[in-house]
Amino acid sequence: MTERLATGAPTAWGSDAMQNRIRRRYRQERLFRGLGIAALALAGGFLLFLLTTIVASGWNSFRATEVQMAVTFDPARLGVDAAAAKADPNLLAKANFQGIMGDASDAQFGRGVRIVSDGAWLTLRDMAQADPSILGTTQTVWLLTTSNIDQLAKGAFDLTIDAADLPVTATEIALWKRLNSEGKLRTGLNALFLTGADSVDPELAGIWGALKGSFLMLIITLVISFPLGVLSAIYLEEFAAKNRWTDIIEVSINNLAAVPSIIFGLLGLAVFLNTLNMPRSAPIVGGLTLALMTFPVIVIASRAAIKAVPPSIRDAALGIGASPVQVVFHHVIPLALPGMLTGTILGMARALGETAPLLMIGMRAFLTSVPQGFTQPATALPVQIFIWSDNVSRGFVEKTSGAIIVLLLFLLLINGLAIYLRNKFEVRW
Amino acid sequence: MNQMSMDVGTALGSSEAVADAAPKMTARNVAVSYGATQALRGVSIDVSTENVTAFIGPSGCGKSTFLRCLNRMNDTVASARVTGEIQLDGKDIYAPDMDVVQLRARVGMVFQKPNPFPKSIYENVAYGPRIHGLARSKADLDGVVEQSLRRAGLWDEVKDRLADSGTALSGGQQQRLCIARAIAVNPEVILMDEPASALDPIATAKIEELIDELRGKYAIVIVTHNMQQAARVSQKTAFFHLGSLVEYGDTREIFTNPREPRTKDYITGRYG
């Protein structure tokens, strides 16, 4: 080569060796592109598979089956005085609606055959309280069915196999076929799933309790970790001297971000429950624990955002006599805000999907009521998914997928918010 | 004398250095070190309002370092240590009771790369007066903004689009906006760190004209790589080399009759 340069002979671009080199280069480029597209296609395929499976098995949880039946609102069986109840519907709150529902079921479907859900009497009570004049009459009502009938109606069972292998009885199948042909079954929106809390009966189980628990927790997490994280990042980036101590703090924060989440659960258990005696299973404890976990993520994202602010802007502001705090609040924070918010929201999204630390602080309790405050027992969305996925009952399979759909929708919403905020606050140069 | 020095000679501005009244800033025996590295030693210079002072010298000679001592911008560099004495109106600016924020308002700075805030043109100029509480009312502030932009020779070009982003202007306009921003806080000294090095010749000419117009109102110190520029805009020139001040005197003297051989070699283009 040096000889060639020395002699000054022109490069032989047309030579075979050179042409081969060029062909090889093009082949490598094609190969690289092909690999990239294959990787994307594979990832997209998996995502599609995941979403299809979940939606296919989960969309039924948003629907519920009801059966039509005649119920007699007999005041004697209800144990109330009709005249008094008509004057004050509140007297009906403790009336024996289970009794009149059981009587109607025994009469129409046979003794001991469970078609109507145990919780369906609430519908009867609400009806009677809304209109006490129906006392003493017989009404045709649509009542929630048991999970087995619901699953039969949704076609969840393969009826071609031996009935003994099915979790439903032959009586139930026969009854379902009869009711279906009589047009006494209907499948509609499952409002209870979106408004209720957990239950032992799949047809009565709802997601709202867990969702609200997650909301309450995330509020605590945001309120604690955002200001702490952003202030720490600003102090470390803009004010702290660069020395051995700040190096140690930086390494510690990076390590904290990499600590497995279950360890934070143990920390929460030891500090908040055992030492500070805070209420078990409460959103405040879950929120604090998740805040510990989200804090380093926010610090790291915020520091990166602050570092990305050009030093020339700081010089400009200092050069006309702005104090360091004014430089930070007037110039650095507005420019770093999109990055800070994006990091925070992604940290929050991670906290929303976190399960392990919540198990450690007792948030996997079975709760049939929606939490009303930060200190009441609650569970969280991912924990609810975990609990339901453990349940053997066929009806909980679709509930699990339904809860996953709700969780994914919220994650999508949060990530969408992150993108929106980033674009909104981004300063164009 | 070779061709190069003839060129510089013809570039010399028409205005002669005038006798200084009391100097605005005085530096005595200033030395700066970054950690173990000595960046500057034994610099003594007077800066006055009557004359524009230019600092020239090859890259890394310490001229920018010295400039940044004059408004204590070196404070932001953790490892920098400044010794010696620098006075503004006879008061030591490194004294413990000196308020750095106030000092930087009195000694303004224009940087090498135009660095307007990513805000509107109006906000860029109004920021300084606002944080120092220099304007009593909105009308007052409007007046300060207009006057500053006029002095920076930018008013006619931007008066109809004050709400546009400062970063949308051309490079030369951005630099004049930065000068307007510095003027708006009514400084006594303006330090310019190679203000035209990122600009085209036409924008450079405008900046140079502007510097000439501002002379007498503000004590101006300009660092430049460009010797013709130093010759055109300044009346006093300081030549730095390898961290020390080699020669300081009237620009005409330095360019036509340098005392030091190193100055002569640099000016005639033998190195640098």
Side-chain angles (χ1 to χ4, degrees):
Chain A
M1 200 65 205
T2 39
E3 226 164 274
R4 168 94 52 81
L5 284 178
T7 58
T11 305
W13 292 106
S15 72
D16 283 351
M18 196 60 92
Q19 288 301 317
N20 272 335
R21 234 192 314 277
I22 290 170
R23 268 195 297 280
R24 198 161 60 236
R25 200 173 64 201
Y26 278 115
R27 204 159 52 235
Q28 281 170 345
E29 303 241 339
R30 276 196 303 275
L31 184 69
F32 183 76
R33 271 166 186 256
L35 283 175
I37 291 170
L40 275 178
L42 194 68
F46 276 123
L47 182 67
L48 201 66
F49 175 76
L50 177 82
L51 289 181
T52 328
T53 328
I54 288 171
V55 171
S57 62
W59 79 282
N60 265 333
S61 62
F62 297 96
R63 298 159 72 231
T65 307
E66 289 175 320
V67 61
Q68 191 189 46
M69 59 192 291
V71 177
T72 306
F73 289 81
D74 176 13
R77 184 78 171 101
L78 284 169
V80 293
D81 178 52
K86 279 173 188 168
D88 180 11
N90 287 331
L91 291 176
L92 291 165
K94 293 225 167 90
N96 185 13
F97 288 100
Q98 289 103 316
I100 62 167
M101 190 176 81
D103 293 348
S105 176
D106 288 350
Q108 287 161 62
F109 308 127
R111 201 159 184 80
V113 181
R114 283 187 67 237
I115 294 290
V116 185
S117 166
D118 288 346
W121 64 270
L122 287 165
T123 316
L124 299 177
R125 187 193 67 185
D126 293 347
M127 272 178 74
Q129 281 189 321
D131 179 15
S133 67
I134 63 172
L135 289 176
T137 66
T138 300
Q139 299 284 325
T140 305
V141 290
W142 287 97
L143 292 178
L144 198 64
T145 62
T146 59
S147 183
N148 280 351
I149 298 297
D150 183 46
Q151 294 298 308
L152 279 168
K154 289 173 184 167
F157 298 120
D158 179 8
L159 296 176
T160 57
I161 62 170
D162 188 8
D165 293 338
L166 286 172
V168 286
T169 62
T171 325
E172 282 173 322
I173 295 176
L175 210 50
W176 163 65
K177 282 184 175 155
R178 199 193 86 201
L179 289 170
N180 213 16
S181 60
E182 289 170 358
K184 286 189 170 174
L185 286 177
R186 70 174 187 192
T187 301
L189 180 74
N190 186 356
L192 205 55
F193 182 64
L194 296 173
T195 57
D198 201 2
S199 167
V200 283
D201 297 316
E203 75 272 15
L204 298 173
I207 197 72
W208 176 239
L211 196 57
K212 191 169 175 196
S214 276
F215 274 142
L216 293 173
M217 246 170 23
L218 285 190
I219 290 170
I220 299 279
T221 305
L222 184 67
V223 165
I224 304 280
S225 65
F226 180 68
L228 274 186
V230 167
L231 285 176
S232 308
I234 291 170
Y235 182 77
L236 284 173
E237 262 328 295
E238 297 286 325
F239 297 103
K242 302 276 174 286
N243 57 27
R244 184 188 299 268
W245 289 110
T246 42
D247 284 349
I248 291 173
I249 290 173
E250 177 162 5
V251 170
S252 306
I253 288 175
N254 289 344
N255 280 334
L256 211 55
V259 167
S261 55
I262 194 147
I263 312 288
F264 283 103
L266 281 171
L267 181 73
L269 176 66
V271 175
F272 301 125
L273 296 187
N274 293 349
T275 308
L276 299 178
N277 288 320
M278 288 174 136
R280 203 163 284 270
S281 308
I284 185 157
V285 178
L288 286 168
T289 308
L290 293 180
L292 289 177
M293 207 187 74
T294 313
F295 166 76
V297 177
I298 295 179
V299 174
I300 291 170
S302 300
R303 288 187 73 176
I306 293 168
K307 273 204 186 93
V309 175
S312 65
I313 295 297
R314 293 183 185 85
D315 282 350
L318 285 173
I320 48 175
S323 69
V325 169
Q326 285 173 328
V327 171
V328 166
F329 281 89
H330 296 166
H331 301 283
V332 175
I333 291 183
L335 290 174
L337 198 59
M340 289 175 171
L341 288 178
T342 310
T344 304
I345 291 173
L346 294 183
M348 297 301 290
R350 204 187 123 189
L352 174 63
E354 201 54 73
T355 321
L358 303 181
L359 300 180
M360 301 304 298
I361 53 161
M363 290 192 74
R364 66 163 304 178
F366 172 74
L367 297 166
T368 54
S369 60
V370 177
Q372 295 304 317
F374 292 107
T375 52
Q376 289 197 347
T379 185
L381 211 41
V383 180
Q384 188 69 74
I385 292 169
F386 174 73
I387 294 171
W388 283 348
S389 71
D390 246 8
N391 204 305
V392 289
S393 179
R394 184 68 181 77
F396 279 114
V397 175
E398 64 176 35
K399 299 288 169 202
T400 308
S401 296
I404 291 173
I405 291 174
V406 173
L407 180 63
L408 287 182
L409 280 177
F410 272 95
L411 286 174
L412 203 66
L413 198 74
I414 288 178
N415 286 336
L417 186 70
I419 293 169
Y420 169 76
L421 286 175
R422 192 173 60 212
N423 291 342
K424 183 176 159 69
F425 290 110
E426 200 158 44
V427 177
R428 307 217 181 278
W429 295 80
Chain B
M1 284 266 174
N2 63 13
Q3 192 58 41
M4 181 68 191
S5 76
M6 289 302 290
D7 285 352
V8 175
T10 51
L12 277 170
S14 53
S15 47
E16 294 266 356
V18 297
D20 287 345
K24 191 73 195 168
M25 293 192 87
T26 57
R28 290 293 171 267
N29 211 17
V30 174
V32 181
S33 56
Y34 296 113
T37 319
Q38 187 81 22
L40 200 67
R41 68 186 80 84
V43 177
S44 301
I45 274 182
D46 289 351
V47 170
S48 70
T49 306
E50 289 75 20
N51 297 307
V52 171
T53 309
F55 293 172
I56 60 170
S59 295
C61 66
K63 55 192 189 301
S64 288
T65 297
F66 180 63
L67 190 77
R68 291 169 68 91
C69 290
L70 298 178
N71 65 345
R72 292 185 57 175
M73 279 300 272
N74 278 332
D75 288 12
T76 59
V77 183
S79 61
R81 221 168 64 82
V82 180
T83 56
E85 194 181 49
I86 302 176
Q87 293 185 338
L88 173 65
D89 284 339
K91 199 168 175 329
D92 182 8
I93 65 169
Y94 281 88
D97 64 336
M98 170 56 76
D99 179 48
V100 185
V101 165
Q102 208 181 67
L103 169 73
R104 293 197 189 125
R106 293 174 65 191
V107 183
M109 190 158 197
V110 176
F111 297 84
Q112 181 171 3
K113 214 175 131 247
N115 57 354
F117 300 129
K119 299 172 189 255
S120 71
I121 293 168
Y122 183 93
E123 283 301 318
N124 261 285
V125 183
Y127 180 69
R130 198 172 276 156
I131 58 171
H132 294 295
L134 299 182
R136 269 177 297 282
S137 63
K138 177 80 174 72
D140 211 7
L141 191 61
D142 288 351
V144 170
V145 170
E146 178 177 343
Q147 197 196 4
S148 306
L149 285 169
R150 273 189 198 285
R151 282 204 178 169
L154 195 59
W155 176 252
D156 291 331
E157 291 161 60
V158 301
K159 64 182 173 197
D160 298 323
R161 49 183 184 129
L162 290 175
D164 287 9
S165 173
T167 52
L169 296 171
S170 73
Q173 289 174 323
Q174 286 189 13
Q175 195 61 299
R176 278 180 283 149
L177 177 62
C178 293
I179 293 173
R181 182 175 65 188
I183 291 173
V185 289
N186 199 24
E188 294 153 41
V189 182
I190 300 178
L191 310 175
M192 299 187 178
D193 191 355
E194 303 188 37
S197 68
L199 306 180
D200 64 71
I202 294 171
T204 302
K206 283 197 174 166
I207 299 282
E208 288 177 6
E209 271 171 44
L210 176 58
I211 292 170
D212 205 48
E213 281 163 26
L214 297 176
R215 178 163 64 94
K217 299 188 188 79
Y218 311 98
I220 293 175
V221 183
I222 174 171
V223 164
T224 177
H225 257 112
N226 180 331
M227 281 176 290
Q228 280 92 339
Q229 186 173 67
R232 281 192 297 265
V233 302
S234 72
Q235 288 74 44
K236 292 272 191 180
T237 296
F239 171 59
F240 287 79
H241 187 228
L242 297 176
S244 48
L245 176 64
V246 175
E247 192 168 345
Y248 175 54
D250 289 358
T251 300
R252 190 164 290 266
E253 283 294 303
I254 296 263
F255 279 95
T256 55
N257 191 18
R259 286 192 307 276
E260 293 278 337
R262 276 189 289 169
T263 317
K264 189 178 169 189
D265 287 351
Y266 182 69
I267 285 168
T268 54
R270 211 159 286 167
Y271 67 90

